[in-house]
């Protein structure tokens, strides 16, 4: 049975949840998947770095309060995160990148991904920034080094929209993608419909853990903008930059407008969309829309996400599921690891084709 050694870059909610899955379900996962997982390095901005090439004992780390975790006092530990050194030098098969990243320039995740690929290591990440801003270049870099770059969790957390489109829609032409890609804004719009004003709805979303302390990226559509770029580039074959995607958030919508629309059987939703025209160009935008009741996205409520694909043979196909949550996003990372295994195990097992020599008679 094979094994993959992991380096976890960032040990917040998502990578910690992945560590929990490995610690608690490792044997079951091995039986189901045909390989084992071992964590050999962890870095974290607050906790520092921890390296053990024989495998880190995860149980005591998971038992500790996240805010009190300190790697400095442990064998192989340091107060310094040492991200670059761990990514480049520690012998790991897969680098799992889940750090906090600035969506404007994709750092520090963009550098983390690049360092890992240049070092010949597979990468899976939940970060939108590197994929949206430099996805094509990073995939090319991965191909040059014979490794995989996986990022299913960058759009809908654990709900597999990218692989659904790429692997299950073979033979279909996808011309349009529309999605509710931010559960926070969707929850807030639902509360506006119920008569709650915007500041109170934002506070509720923060108390429930849906919104960050600074909710700007959710409210103004910046989070959705990056996700639309990923969908357009990965599913429609575009090469969009951030300035190519018009972006309008929900901050100007009033409870009265939302309730008035509801009385007309319309539902306000923050929709990210991308359309491929007949000339091959792709147009994308983020904007609040009042959708009719029959629209596949109109009935999506609360912190749930959904993506509708318009196809030539099946019509519109909608995939819906959780768009946030630490366990759900950790599952996306696990699905990335499975994809890496399936691709490279198949490549390794593939028979070598004989070389045919062309003979010329003179």
């Amino acid at each position: 049975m094979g094994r993959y050694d992991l380096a976890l870059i960032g040990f917040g909610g998502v990578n910690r949840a992945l560590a929990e899955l490995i610690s608690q379900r490792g044997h079951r996962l091995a039986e189901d998947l045909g390989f084992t997982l071992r964590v050999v390095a962890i870095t974290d901005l607050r906790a520092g770095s921890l390296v053990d090439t024989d495998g880190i004992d995860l149980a005591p780390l998971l038992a500790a309060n996240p805010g009190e975790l300190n790697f400095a006092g442990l064998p192989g530990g340091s107060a310094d995160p040492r991200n670059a050194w761990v990514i480049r030098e520690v012998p790991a098969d897969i680098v799992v990148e889940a750090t906090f990243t600035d969506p404007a320039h994709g750092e520090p995740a963009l550098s983390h991904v690049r360092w890992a690929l240049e070092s010949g290591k597979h990468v899976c990440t939940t970060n939108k920034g590197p994929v949206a801003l430099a996805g094509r270049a990073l995939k090319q870099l991965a191909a040059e080094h014979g490794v995989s770059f996986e990022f299913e969790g960058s759009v809908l957390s654990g709900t597999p929209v990218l692989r659904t489109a790429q692997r299950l829609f073979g033979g279909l032409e996808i011309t349009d993608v529309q999605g509710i890609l931010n559960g926070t804004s969707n929850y807030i719009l639902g509360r506006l419909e119920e008569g709650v004003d915007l500041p109170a709805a934002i506070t509720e979303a923060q108390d429930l853990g849906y919104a960050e302390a600074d909710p700007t990226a959710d409210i103004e559509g910046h989070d959705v903008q990056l996700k639309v770029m990923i969908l357009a580039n990965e599913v429609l074959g575009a090469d969009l930059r951030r300035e190519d995607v018009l972006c309008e958030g929900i901050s100007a919508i009033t409870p009265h407008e939302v309730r008035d629309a509801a009385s007309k059987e319309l539902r306000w939703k923050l929709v990210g969309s991308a359309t491929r025209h007949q000339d091959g160009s792709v147009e994308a935008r983020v904007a609040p829309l009042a959708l009719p009741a029959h629209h596949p996205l109109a009935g999506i409520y609360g912190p749930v996400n959904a993506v509708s694909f318009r196809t030539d043979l099946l019509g519109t196909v909608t995939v819906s599921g959780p768009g946030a949550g630490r366990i759900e996003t950790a599952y996306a990372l696990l699905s990335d690891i499975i994809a890496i295994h399936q691709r490279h195990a198949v490549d390794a097992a593939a028979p070598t084709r004989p070389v045919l020599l062309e003979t010329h008679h003179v």
Side-chain angles (χ1 to χ4, degrees):
M1 180 177 290
R3 185 189 72 219
Y4 294 99
D5 286 348
L6 310 181
L8 307 184
I9 309 304
F11 203 57
V14 175
N15 264 350
R16 187 181 176 94
L18 178 63
E20 290 172 2
L21 291 177
I22 295 171
S23 178
Q24 298 168 7
R25 300 191 183 190
H27 294 297
R28 177 181 165 186
L29 289 174
E31 292 175 0
D32 290 344
L33 304 176
F35 59 84
T36 61
L37 296 173
R38 185 173 71 171
V39 177
V40 296
I42 302 173
T43 69
D44 184 76
L45 187 62
R46 292 178 297 182
S49 58
L50 182 63
V51 176
D52 186 343
T53 55
D54 292 326
I56 294 172
D57 184 4
L58 297 173
L61 304 184
L62 298 173
N65 186 308
E68 299 174 354
L69 200 59
N70 186 349
F71 296 149
L74 302 177
S78 168
D80 182 359
R82 299 192 295 173
N83 289 339
W85 178 81
V86 166
I87 291 169
R88 288 171 165 153
E89 303 298 334
V90 173
D93 303 301
I94 302 174
V95 171
V96 184
E97 212 293 330
T99 62
F100 176 80
T101 292
D102 190 323
H105 48 65
E107 294 293 355
L110 179 54
S111 290
H112 295 163
V113 172
R114 186 180 293 115
W115 294 338
L117 297 176
E118 290 171 344
S119 301
K121 296 168 182 174
H122 306 296
V123 175
C124 54
T125 185
T126 58
N127 269 308
K128 300 176 290 294
V131 187
L133 303 178
R136 178 168 295 191
L138 292 174
K139 287 192 293 182
Q140 178 61 37
L141 186 61
E144 292 172 359
H145 290 272
V147 293
S148 288
F149 174 43
E150 301 289 340
F151 42 85
E152 181 62 65
S154 64
V155 177
L156 242 64
S157 186
T159 304
V161 291
L162 294 176
R163 290 199 182 98
T164 296
Q166 293 165 346
R167 299 187 180 185
L168 301 183
F169 287 178
L172 297 176
E173 181 182 358
I174 303 173
T175 57
D176 184 88
V177 180
Q178 284 189 317
I180 294 174
L181 305 175
N182 183 272
T184 301
S185 60
N186 201 50
Y187 171 83
I188 289 171
L189 286 171
R191 294 298 285 143
L192 294 183
E193 188 174 312
E194 295 168 2
V196 179
D197 64 20
L198 183 63
I202 291 174
T203 299
E204 284 185 12
Q206 290 170 326
D207 291 342
L208 291 169
Y210 301 150
E212 300 289 342
D214 180 359
T216 304
D218 298 323
I219 303 304
E220 300 302 338
H222 305 316
D223 174 73
V224 177
Q225 185 183 41
L226 293 179
K227 293 175 179 178
V228 167
M229 290 171 62
I230 296 171
L231 283 170
N233 294 344
E234 295 300 315
V235 177
L236 300 181
D239 188 18
L240 299 182
R241 297 165 298 177
R242 195 168 186 179
E243 55 266 31
D244 297 325
V245 183
L246 298 176
C247 186
E248 179 185 353
I250 65 171
S251 58
I253 299 176
T254 66
H256 173 74
E257 289 177 300
V258 176
R259 293 196 303 272
D260 182 62
S263 70
K264 301 173 183 175
E265 297 189 348
L266 300 173
R267 295 289 184 272
W268 278 101
K269 301 293 180 182
L270 182 62
V271 178
S273 61
T275 301
R276 182 170 54 209
H277 301 296
Q278 290 186 347
D279 63 1
S281 63
V282 175
E283 180 182 4
R285 65 178 300 187
V286 178
L289 300 176
L291 302 177
H294 61 78
H295 193 284
L297 300 180
I300 304 299
Y301 291 99
V304 178
N305 287 183
V307 176
S308 291
F309 302 93
R310 184 183 299 165
T311 73
D312 57 342
L313 301 181
L314 293 181
T316 299
V317 179
T318 302
V319 179
S320 178
R326 55 190 297 273
I327 294 296
E328 292 86 350
T329 311
Y331 173 73
L333 291 172
L334 179 61
S335 74
D336 283 344
I337 294 169
I338 295 170
I340 290 169
H341 170 75
Q342 290 174 339
R343 174 186 173 188
H344 291 273
V346 168
D347 289 348
T352 303
R353 293 186 179 183
V355 177
L356 301 179
L357 300 179
E358 183 178 358
T359 302
H360 297 276
H361 298 281
V362 179

